Amino acid sequence: MKHEQRLADLRRYFKASNKRYSVEREHLLEIIADMDGQFSIVDLFRKARSKGFIHAASTLYRNIFAFIDAGFINEIKLCGGKTVFESNLKGDNNFLLCVGCGKLVKVKSVSLGNIQKKLCTEHNFEPLNYIYQIKGYCSECQERL
Ligand SMILES: [Zn+2]
């Protein structure tokens, strides 16, 4: 996805949800697009601060949920109430979470993508993103149980 398209999507989201749009939020989108793999809100804050885009953590806390709602960030629930974030601008959003050891594995699935498209078409729903997570036991945990 090109940056201009992302900006257009961001503006559309803020318009649709009656939230104030700002250049600061455009900068945050740039940072989010640059994040690799899973990250914490502290990681995101450090990167935004190092680029001079944000000076107060409260600014990020105020904004991160808008980016989650708008589909730019995946909020991934881990064991024990922990949460990690991931940019939704790259790759698949299918996860296997082992409740034994806490391991999170990202898996590819063309079928789940197709199911998502089919459901959205049936309900005339325009998707921004989706997360599919299966909780269970990994092979190592199954062996030790
Ligand atoms: Zn396990």
Side-chain angles (χ1 to χ4, degrees):
M1 193 194 294
K2 294 233 177 352
H3 188 62
E4 293 74 31
Q5 182 59 51
R6 288 183 199 137
L7 286 175
D9 289 346
L10 187 68
R11 287 189 195 106
R12 184 175 180 231
Y13 165 75
F14 279 96
K15 187 178 178 187
S17 59
N18 292 315
K19 290 187 171 80
R20 192 176 61 84
Y21 188 78
S22 68
V23 176
E24 199 170 52
R25 288 172 170 171
E26 286 185 7
H27 290 156
L28 265 177
L29 183 61
E30 245 177 77
I31 300 283
I32 290 162
D34 277 352
M35 296 300 284
D36 283 321
Q38 286 148 19
F39 55 87
S40 69
I41 197 162
V42 174
D43 298 331
L44 189 61
F45 174 64
R46 284 188 183 134
K47 190 155 188 180
R49 191 172 57 184
S50 73
K51 295 218 172 194
F53 290 163
I54 280 187
H55 305 287
S58 58
T59 308
L60 187 58
Y61 281 95
R62 271 199 316 274
N63 283 287
I64 194 160
F65 295 104
F67 284 92
I68 292 167
D69 288 349
F72 291 106
I73 296 177
N74 291 326
E75 184 181 26
I76 306 160
K77 304 284 185 192
L78 303 179
C79 295
K82 290 182 188 156
T83 300
V84 287
F85 302 99
E86 187 181 73
S87 168
N88 185 40
L89 306 168
K90 310 159 190 163
D92 294 281
N93 299 321
N94 310 307
F95 300 95
L96 306 176
L97 176 65
C98 178
V99 298
C101 65
K103 183 168 49 186
L104 181 74
V105 179
K106 192 166 195 167
V107 291
K108 283 191 177 297
S109 171
V110 173
S111 325
L112 287 172
N114 290 338
I115 290 168
Q116 180 246 152
K117 282 177 196 148
K118 184 176 179 284
L119 284 172
C120 290
T121 302
E122 280 171 10
H123 295 274
N124 190 25
F125 193 79
E126 182 191 331
L128 295 173
N129 77 334
Y130 81 98
I131 297 174
Y132 190 81
Q133 186 179 56
I134 300 173
K135 287 181 186 171
Y137 295 104
C138 71
S139 56
E140 288 97 45
C141 286
Q142 288 173 57
E143 276 178 30
R144 69 180 172 84
L145 292 175

